[in-house]
Amino acid sequence: MAGRDEERAVLRALVDAHGRTYAEEAGITLRDTPQPLYRLLVLAHLLSARINGSIAVATARALHEAGLRDPRRMAGARRQERVDALGRGGYRRYDERTATQLGEGADLLTKRWGGDLRRLRADAGGDVGELRRLLQEFPGMGPTGADIFLREVQRVWPEPAPYLDRKALDGARRLKLPQDPGRLVDLAERTEPAVLAAALVRAALARDVADDALRHAAA
């Protein structure tokens, strides 16, 4: 088993090369305000499908560029507008179904929580399990989508932190690191949990990312 210094070196190499959240990659400046939180919800929905992450990120950008950046505009858009924006991002395999789900989800958010995910957070009352359950009430947002949202939102919502889900821990396993979230956060020292989680997920999704971190840590 690797020693503590070696484990720290692996995480440092990983974060240095791949420590960028998916929200950042999608051009979302995450704040605890309605619009960026909604854009993150849409991004989590897109990323949860069995599709390349870069396509999901590009599609989140395309929806924003089409003006579909808040639940009112998303719900009010024609379905074909949503389909077209999804297509421009390269999200063609699931475009028809996703266009419908995004419209229904935006309508739900508007009617139940006034278009503000902070109200959903308040309904959860600090219970992360309840927060995860409520997120899955949005059409198309299953457990994977909820996990993605919570991994990223821990940057502005402290309740879930440190949130390292199964996919992040798969990355830790590939790097031969501990599977305990607390230990991983400690080894990562001053790295934000959201950044650590994103880097570990990238290691889980791409073996060359993990191999690169292991190689640089050993150099």
Side-chain angles (χ1 to χ4, degrees):
M1 183 179 292
R4 194 173 181 83
D5 288 344
E6 289 86 350
E7 291 171 340
R8 279 200 177 108
V10 169
L11 278 179
R12 191 179 310 116
L14 176 71
V15 170
D16 284 350
H18 303 283
R20 189 182 187 202
T21 67
Y22 285 90
E24 288 173 325
E25 191 176 339
I28 302 169
T29 302
L30 195 56
R31 299 188 183 94
D32 189 23
T33 54
Q35 189 176 113
L37 290 172
Y38 176 67
R39 290 182 63 197
L40 176 61
L41 181 73
V42 170
L43 176 63
H45 182 155
L46 298 172
L47 283 166
S48 67
R50 294 187 178 185
I51 199 163
N52 188 286
S54 62
I55 293 175
V57 166
T59 302
R61 285 181 174 272
L63 287 165
H64 181 263
E65 289 163 3
L68 306 177
R69 60 193 67 169
D70 61 52
R72 179 183 58 80
R73 291 174 181 172
M74 184 71 80
R78 289 181 297 106
R79 184 170 176 276
Q80 191 59 46
E81 287 181 65
R82 296 192 293 268
V83 170
D84 290 345
L86 290 164
R88 285 194 294 275
Y91 208 86
R92 296 184 181 88
R93 183 177 174 188
Y94 304 102
D95 56 353
E96 297 283 343
R97 182 180 68 186
T98 302
T100 298
Q101 290 172 339
L102 289 175
E104 292 173 348
D107 190 55
L108 171 64
L109 178 57
T110 300
K111 290 178 177 176
R112 186 167 175 184
W113 291 291
D116 189 345
L117 283 163
R118 295 175 300 181
R119 297 185 183 182
L120 178 149
R121 177 191 181 191
D123 278 358
D127 184 323
V128 178
E130 178 65 4
L131 183 55
R132 190 172 185 268
R133 186 192 70 78
L134 288 172
L135 288 166
Q136 291 178 66
E137 294 196 13
F138 291 102
M141 277 284 288
T144 299
D147 283 339
I148 294 167
F149 182 88
L150 291 170
R151 282 198 319 250
E152 298 271 325
V153 85
Q154 66 183 317
R155 202 164 208 179
V156 293
W157 289 0
E159 299 95 318
Y163 198 88
L164 301 180
D165 66 334
R166 185 186 305 174
K167 183 60 72 175
L169 295 179
D170 284 347
R173 186 178 300 111
R174 177 169 275 178
L175 291 160
K176 300 179 177 59
L177 294 171
Q179 302 298 294
D180 177 75
R183 281 192 65 193
L184 287 166
V185 170
D186 180 57
L187 287 168
E189 296 175 317
R190 289 179 291 278
T191 301
E192 291 180 61
V195 171
L196 172 62
L200 288 170
V201 167
R202 287 184 167 91
L205 294 174
R207 181 171 291 279
D208 61 327
V209 168
D211 290 346
D212 182 64
L214 291 167
R215 185 170 56 254
H216 278 82

